[in-house]
């Protein structure tokens, strides 16, 4: 597959089969991701890939944490309220997602239950947490985004689907404790991945992209 073909085929999967990805395949993918570019080649990423029993323990701990209905305490400042076109796209994305599951906009209980599935990793067999040293700030976050996109494309090349999740950076305390992540590393975000359930209604959701002239200015 070409990179463009992978991008066209990729989507955010939110329902997975239980089958794990073979360890050899995981090693191959994350080894290749080491080739990701970064500012001054600092390679700031430290990725925790969690599977099996430890993943199940973490899932229970995160759901218990979220069910306390307390405010998120992320390691990095990403308190943002989208405005203008960004807010419209956010609403459009949410509408597409909940419509695919047959959840009405006014049904807050079902929406909350669907949201809670973020911390259950959508029943994926694997979850990755992307961490970096806290002092790196925005430049480190740029590099982390490049790295995570690389991982996502390499996964799709192998027929493995994924979903990037900012939600997995909202409640870092249980993750830090269970995975024994050092204090100097901040948890930026996460990604659930595995083999998607092709017929799941939620996996039929697709979001729109803006026209090129809304995103790129060519200057000659």
């Amino acid at each position: 597959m070409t990179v463009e073909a992978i991008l066209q085929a990729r989507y955010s999967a939110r329902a997975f089969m239980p089958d794990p990805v073979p360890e050899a395949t995981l090693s191959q993918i994350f080894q290749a991701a080491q080739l990701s570019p970064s500012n001054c080649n600092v390679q700031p990423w430290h990725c925790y890939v969690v599977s099996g029993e430890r993943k199940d323990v973490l899932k229970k701990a995160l759901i218990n944490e979220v069910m306390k209905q307390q405010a998120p305490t992320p390691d990095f400042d990403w308190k943002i309220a989208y405005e203008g076109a960004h807010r419209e796209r956010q609403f459009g994305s949410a509408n597409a997602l909940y419509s695919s599951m047959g959840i009405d906009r006014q049904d807050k209980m079902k929406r909350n239950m669907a949201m809670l599935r973020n911390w259950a990793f959508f029943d994926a067999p694997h979850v990755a947490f992307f961490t970096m040293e806290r002092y790196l700030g925005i430049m480190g976050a740029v590099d982390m985004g490049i790295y995570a996109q690389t991982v996502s494309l390499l996964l799709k090349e192998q027929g493995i689907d994924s979903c990037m999740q900012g939600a997995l950076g909202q409640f870092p305390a249980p993750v830090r404790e269970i995975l024994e992540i050092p204090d100097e590393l901040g948890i930026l975000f996460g990604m659930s991945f595995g083999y998607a359930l092709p017929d799941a209604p939620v996996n039929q959701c697709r979001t729109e992209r803006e026209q090129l002239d809304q995103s790129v200015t060519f200057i000659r």
Side-chain angles (χ1 to χ4, degrees), residues 41-59:
N41 194 37
V42 297
Q43 304 173 58
W45 46 80
H46 191 119
C47 187
Y48 289 80
V49 181
V50 194
S51 313
E53 293 182 2
R54 187 65 68 89
K55 183 211 66 175
D56 294 336
V57 169
L58 181 57
K59 176 175 72 174

Side-chain angles (χ1 to χ4, degrees), residues 136-157:
L136 289 166
I138 190 169
M139 285 309 301
V142 169
D143 293 338
M144 294 298 294
I146 294 170
Y147 173 75
Q149 171 78 332
T150 301
V151 171
S152 175
L153 296 180
L154 288 167
L155 286 168
K156 189 62 180 178
E157 184 182 36

Side-chain angles (χ1 to χ4, degrees), residues 147-213:
Y147 173 75
Q149 171 78 332
T150 301
V151 171
S152 175
L153 296 180
L154 288 167
L155 286 168
K156 189 62 180 178
E157 184 182 36
Q158 298 288 339
I160 303 162
D161 289 288
S162 62
C163 184
M164 300 287 188
Q165 296 164 261
L168 295 184
Q170 289 184 322
F171 300 94
V175 184
R176 184 176 309 284
E177 179 182 355
I178 292 171
L179 303 186
E180 299 180 351
I181 297 175
D183 288 340
E184 63 267 21
L185 292 180
I187 300 167
L188 195 56
F189 59 98
M191 177 184 70
S192 298
F193 67 95
Y195 300 106
L197 274 170
D199 297 328
V202 71
N203 284 344
Q204 311 313 309
C205 176
R206 298 294 184 272
T207 50
E208 298 180 353
R209 294 297 184 269
E210 291 294 327
Q211 295 296 315
L212 181 62
D213 60 5

Side-chain angles (χ1 to χ4, degrees), residues 16-219:
F16 294 87
M17 296 186 287
D19 313 66
V21 177
E23 289 187 13
T25 303
L26 287 179
S27 294
Q28 175 188 346
I29 288 169
F30 283 91
Q31 179 63 54
Q34 288 296 109
L35 297 173
S36 300
S38 59
N39 186 54
C40 299
N41 194 37
V42 297
Q43 304 173 58
W45 46 80
H46 191 119
C47 187
Y48 289 80
V49 181
V50 194
S51 313
E53 293 182 2
R54 187 65 68 89
K55 183 211 66 175
D56 294 336
V57 169
L58 181 57
K59 176 175 72 174
K60 291 178 182 178
L62 273 172
I63 290 176
N64 287 337
E65 188 80 359
V66 175
M67 291 295 286
K68 294 176 183 177
Q69 298 184 329
Q70 57 192 354
T73 55
D75 287 335
F76 297 96
D77 180 17
W78 47 281
K79 297 176 182 178
I80 184 170
Y82 292 116
E83 300 175 356
H86 302 141
R87 188 167 177 80
E88 291 175 9
R89 294 169 192 161
Q90 179 190 29
F91 283 161
S93 176
N95 182 61
L97 176 60
Y98 292 120
S99 294
S100 72
M101 294 185 285
I103 298 176
D104 187 82
R105 183 174 182 177
Q106 306 304 320
D107 196 333
K108 292 186 178 180
M109 180 176 292
K110 286 187 177 179
R111 284 196 165 211
N112 288 338
M113 291 302 296
M115 184 65 180
L116 190 62
R117 283 183 51 76
N118 273 279
W119 295 282
F121 316 131
F122 303 117
D123 295 326
H126 310 281
V127 61
F129 288 90
F130 298 96
T131 80
M132 66 178 192
E133 292 191 50
R134 297 170 187 263
Y135 83 91
L136 289 166
I138 190 169
M139 285 309 301
V142 169
D143 293 338
M144 294 298 294
I146 294 170
Y147 173 75
Q149 171 78 332
T150 301
V151 171
S152 175
L153 296 180
L154 288 167
L155 286 168
K156 189 62 180 178
E157 184 182 36
Q158 298 288 339
I160 303 162
D161 289 288
S162 62
C163 184
M164 300 287 188
Q165 296 164 261
L168 295 184
Q170 289 184 322
F171 300 94
V175 184
R176 184 176 309 284
E177 179 182 355
I178 292 171
L179 303 186
E180 299 180 351
I181 297 175
D183 288 340
E184 63 267 21
L185 292 180
I187 300 167
L188 195 56
F189 59 98
M191 177 184 70
S192 298
F193 67 95
Y195 300 106
L197 274 170
D199 297 328
V202 71
N203 284 344
Q204 311 313 309
C205 176
R206 298 294 184 272
T207 50
E208 298 180 353
R209 294 297 184 269
E210 291 294 327
Q211 295 296 315
L212 181 62
D213 60 5
Q214 297 297 307
S215 301
V216 179
T217 300
F218 294 99
I219 301 175

